[in-house]
Amino acid sequence: MIGVPRRAFFATLLVTSGIAFAIGGLTLWFVLVRPQTTELNQVVLGIIVHVLFGYIVAMAGISLASTDLPLTQYVIATKWCFGGATFMSVLAIWRSIPEVRSGAAPLGVLNELIIIGSVGAAAGVLVGMNRGQAVRNRELIAEKEDREETLVFLLRLLEHDIGNHLLAISNHARAIRPSTFDPSPTPSEAIEERAANIDRLLETANVVLESETGDADFDRVDLSSVLRDQIAVVSADAPDVEMCVELDDRLYIESDRFVGDVFRNLLENAVVHNPADDLEISVVGTVVDEAVEIEIADNGRGIPDGVRDGLFDPGVRGNASSGDGIGLYLVRKLVKSYGGSVSVSERSSGGTRFRLGFPHAPDEGRAS
């Protein structure tokens, strides 16, 4: 996964900082305090005070390293840790100014700075982890609601559309009974078409369920090859449409076998909803920083304002559309499952523009 090295970096930073606080505090305690300490309970208490808060920071880092939480939680915990350490250190320095001016031992001031700084770091990392968990909980609630919406939609889709297709198959089957046999291939073709529609619906349901349950296995895929394959298929079906293609090499992302459906849906959407005469579709793919960005645009009639806002919602389609409203919904679900994003806008010169972004999977053998 792309975010693993970054999560490891923040976890290692917290562990290292906690160990540094503990070792620094313990070293100064042995140098400054231990020679003046005679009672066992004072020895134990001194060691605990100088080590405890650094230990809390280090254990927070270890705890994060053993999880697969989102990168944002690591960032939040680290920011709060160093923010708390900085705030408390500033207070310690401000308090120590009179002592430094009076010639107090600098090691004593440093000892106090490390102790108070580690207290701030420990408090900060605990607050940060709690805040990060709160953010994660909100995300999980949103995902749960979205998943319930998806499952309800799938059930309604399968019940409604498959029922219609089965009814049509039954009618066409009666049309080719021996008593009413018609040599025309139309009923046979209609049955094949309806069967293909059922197969497509079941495959769509499988895709959406895999994206929701997290059961999909992702591999490193070059989108430039996927896009060229899909463009070739659409061009063969619509030879009058002009395709303008600009693709960088090595547009690698982590995805599954259904990634081609994303671009097939977008390209076919442009072809189906616009007249073929003078229709131009541009496909641009680039790597920007650590993201793969794909833009698919056309010079067609555009999308009505009332439809564009909810275009990726299940069942949304224009009044003139003969589709079932699941193509772009499927696009959104798949792109989201790959850790990406998709948006739609109107071109200033007329037409529609889809923008997609995915985390870039580095070339094998190269650092991210």
Side-chain angles (χ1 to χ4, degrees), residues 113-251:
L113 177 63
I114 289 179
I115 293 176
I116 296 178
S118 65
V119 171
V125 75
L126 293 177
V127 171
M129 291 181 70
N130 286 333
R131 287 180 64 89
Q133 188 60 51
V135 171
R136 179 57 177 163
N137 289 340
R138 288 195 294 269
E139 292 175 349
L140 290 175
I141 292 173
E143 290 176 3
K144 180 177 180 293
E145 293 175 349
D146 186 56
R147 183 170 298 177
E148 290 177 352
E149 174 191 344
T150 299
L151 295 178
V152 169
F153 168 71
L154 282 177
L155 289 174
R156 291 177 178 173
L157 170 70
L158 296 177
E159 178 184 14
H160 178 266
D161 284 27
I162 289 183
N164 288 342
H165 291 311
L166 290 175
L167 178 61
I169 287 175
S170 177
N171 292 335
H172 288 297
R174 284 195 296 271
I176 58 175
R177 288 182 301 180
S179 59
T180 58
F181 180 77
D182 184 346
S184 171
T186 302
S188 176
E189 291 177 349
I191 289 176
E192 291 180 358
E193 180 183 356
R194 294 291 179 167
N197 286 335
I198 291 176
D199 185 64
R200 179 181 60 82
L201 284 169
L202 293 175
E203 182 179 9
T204 298
N206 182 54
V207 172
V208 176
L209 286 175
E210 283 192 9
S211 70
E212 288 294 333
T213 59
D215 293 336
D217 293 326
F218 290 169
D219 296 311
R220 186 167 168 270
V221 175
D222 185 3
L223 283 189
S224 60
S225 298
V226 174
L227 279 163
R228 289 190 176 96
D229 290 342
Q230 298 304 322
I231 290 169
V233 172
V234 174
S235 295
D237 294 335
D240 295 335
V241 176
E242 181 178 352
M243 294 284 187
C244 303
V245 182
E246 297 181 19
L247 299 176
D248 290 351
D249 293 329
R250 295 183 171 85
L251 301 177

